[in-house]
Amino acid sequence: MKIQKIRKVTALAIGTILFFGLIFGGCSGKEDSSKDSQAGSDVEADVESDAELAKFVAKTLSGDSYTQDDLAEVDVTLFNFWATYCAPCIREMPEVAEFVKKLPDNVRIVTVCLDGQGNEEKAEEILAGAGFEGTTLIAGVTFEEDAGDFKTLCRNIMYTPTTLVIDADGNIVGDAIIGVQKDLEKTYTEAINGCLTLLGKEEIEIEE
């Protein structure tokens, strides 16, 4: 596994995401998608963007700001990208919410609602129903004209759900986790521990 700065999306990376997104559970990043796979997947694909999460300002569903300073507060942050029209995302959210409750203080999961702008109430309803109590960012809504790297990163998410592992410096670590996972806890824990190992940090253990 390698640490990748968030840089330009290559045609190969996009093609890989499209390929695995079609096969393994999830929705297209476009709202008119009718796909609703019940299959999960442990397949991962490289994701890069033509930005770095080193300077950005995003808006949370609760109206607060979220920046690179928030990333720096913990060792590892998972960005879980989803949409209100994505049925697999909604089915998976209770698992995400339950996993969040088991995490130590040095690891966070932040969800990013790609169609949250104008759908805030619907997003809040879905999250509340799933029991998710963490931070949710709204793609495309910022406090500044230049959202920095966050807006670019959101534009390059091709399928939902997609989860990225990000370190305190804004580096994407390892591969994107694409589609609904057969064992979300196992997949996420392995991804988190892979990042912590690279950082020279102690791995986490999730209690049952």
Side-chain angles (χ1 to χ4, degrees):
M1 186 184 297
K2 59 181 180 299
I3 295 180
Q4 299 174 320
K5 279 290 186 180
I6 306 171
R7 297 191 186 282
K8 188 174 182 180
V9 175
T10 64
L12 176 60
I14 293 176
T16 303
I17 296 170
L18 286 169
F19 176 75
F20 286 124
L22 286 169
I23 294 179
F24 294 107
C27 300
S28 166
K30 298 180 180 179
E31 187 168 358
D32 61 1
S33 171
S34 61
K35 296 180 177 62
D36 180 9
S37 171
Q38 298 185 17
S41 171
D42 293 327
V43 173
E44 300 177 346
D46 287 338
V47 172
E48 294 178 293
S49 165
D50 57 0
E52 297 176 8
L53 279 179
K55 186 172 177 58
F56 69 98
V57 179
K59 187 176 182 179
T60 70
L61 194 58
S62 60
D64 298 321
S65 63
Y66 188 94
T67 73
Q68 67 278 358
D69 292 336
D70 293 283
L71 292 178
E73 290 178 354
V74 295
D75 295 324
V76 180
T77 302
L78 271 62
F79 272 21
N80 173 262
F81 294 86
W82 66 289
T84 63
Y85 57 81
C86 174
C89 300
I90 296 171
R91 284 199 305 271
E92 181 185 64
M93 193 60 69
E95 291 186 70
V96 175
E98 186 63 27
F99 185 69
V100 168
K101 298 174 183 178
K102 301 179 180 181
L103 291 173
D105 293 338
N106 66 322
V107 180
R108 288 178 184 165
I109 294 182
V110 172
T111 75
V112 183
C113 188
L114 293 174
D115 67 330
Q117 186 174 12
N119 292 313
E120 289 87 355
E121 289 187 6
K122 185 175 182 179
E124 288 176 350
E125 181 181 346
I126 292 170
L127 292 166
F132 183 80
E133 299 176 352
T135 298
T136 294
L137 308 182
I138 305 175
V141 180
T142 67
F143 289 108
E144 298 180 0
E145 182 177 350
D146 182 7
D149 317 323
F150 176 69
K151 185 176 290 187
T152 303
L153 183 62
C154 290
R155 281 201 302 261
N156 287 315
I157 297 298
M158 305 299 292
Y159 282 88
T160 52
T162 289
T163 300
L164 303 180
V165 181
I166 302 173
D167 71 12
D169 294 324
N171 299 311
I172 288 182
V173 180
D175 299 324
I177 302 169
I178 298 179
V180 175
Q181 301 302 299
K182 294 178 182 177
D183 189 338
L184 182 144
E185 184 173 304
K186 178 176 182 291
T187 301
Y188 278 20
T189 301
E190 289 178 350
I192 291 167
N193 283 336
C195 180
L196 290 171
T197 298
L198 283 174
L199 297 173
K201 306 281 186 177
E202 183 178 353
E203 293 187 355
I204 65 171
E205 293 185 7
I206 301 298
E207 297 183 2
E208 297 297 333

